[in-house]
């Protein structure tokens, strides 16, 4: 029995496209036959843990990793205990502020002859030369004029 159904526009369009589909399928088949799937997928592999480790160190097992963590914890507790038992060993050494200020003044490359500096001990005029290293003797005290 013959179908009485009329072919729609889309059916007629599909019939006209059948040779094109066959040609595309044949071309894909030739490409797959000529080049296996491994050559089609030329992407870089995903990085692994070994890519991030230095080449000389093998990958650490889970048990070795846990052992390292436990040893680090033990060392941290040991240092903490030692700091509690001997706090005098870990106190900062107080710096003499006058000595620090003097050292800073002697290293100041911006000082020029005639500059005046103020310190706890009074005001001083820099009398040194720029081509020579600074010395304490390069700073001469400024004497205020006596009041009349």
């Amino acid at each position: 029995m013959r179908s009485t159904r009329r072919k729609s526009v889309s059916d007629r369009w599909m019939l006209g496209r059948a040779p094109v589909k066959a040609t595309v399928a044949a071309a894909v088949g030739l490409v797959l036959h000529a080049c296996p799937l491994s050559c089609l997928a030329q992407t870089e592999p995903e990085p692994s843990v070994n890519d991030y480790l230095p080449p000389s160190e093998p990958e650490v097992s889970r048990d070795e990793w846990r052992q390292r963590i436990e040893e680090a914890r033990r060392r941290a507790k040991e240092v903490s205990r030692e700091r509690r038992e001997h706090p005098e060993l870990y106190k900062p050494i107080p710096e003499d502020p006058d000595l620090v200020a003097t050292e800073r003044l002697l290293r100041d490359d911006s000082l020029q002859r005639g500059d005046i500096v103020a310190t706890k001990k009074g005001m001083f005029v820099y009398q040194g030369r720029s081509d020579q290293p600074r010395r304490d003797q390069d700073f001469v005290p400024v004497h205020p004029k006596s009041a009349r």
Side-chain angles (χ1 to χ4, degrees), residues 3-19 21:
S3 169
T4 58
R5 188 184 122 174
R6 291 183 70 190
K7 292 185 177 179
S8 68
V9 174
S10 64
D11 289 338
R12 280 186 252 140
W13 181 78
M14 291 296 281
L15 285 175
R17 302 289 285 175
K21 284 185 177 180

Side-chain angles (χ1 to χ4, degrees), residues 48-67:
S48 69
V49 172
N50 293 330
D51 294 333
Y52 299 105
L53 291 175
S56 62
E57 295 183 26
E59 189 173 336
V60 179
S61 72
R62 188 177 190 94
D63 290 335
E64 289 173 321
W65 178 78
R66 285 181 175 164
Q67 186 178 5

Side-chain angles (χ1 to χ4, degrees), residues 18-34:
V20 174
K21 284 185 177 180
T23 306
V24 171
V28 169
L30 283 174
V31 169
L32 290 177
H33 179 68

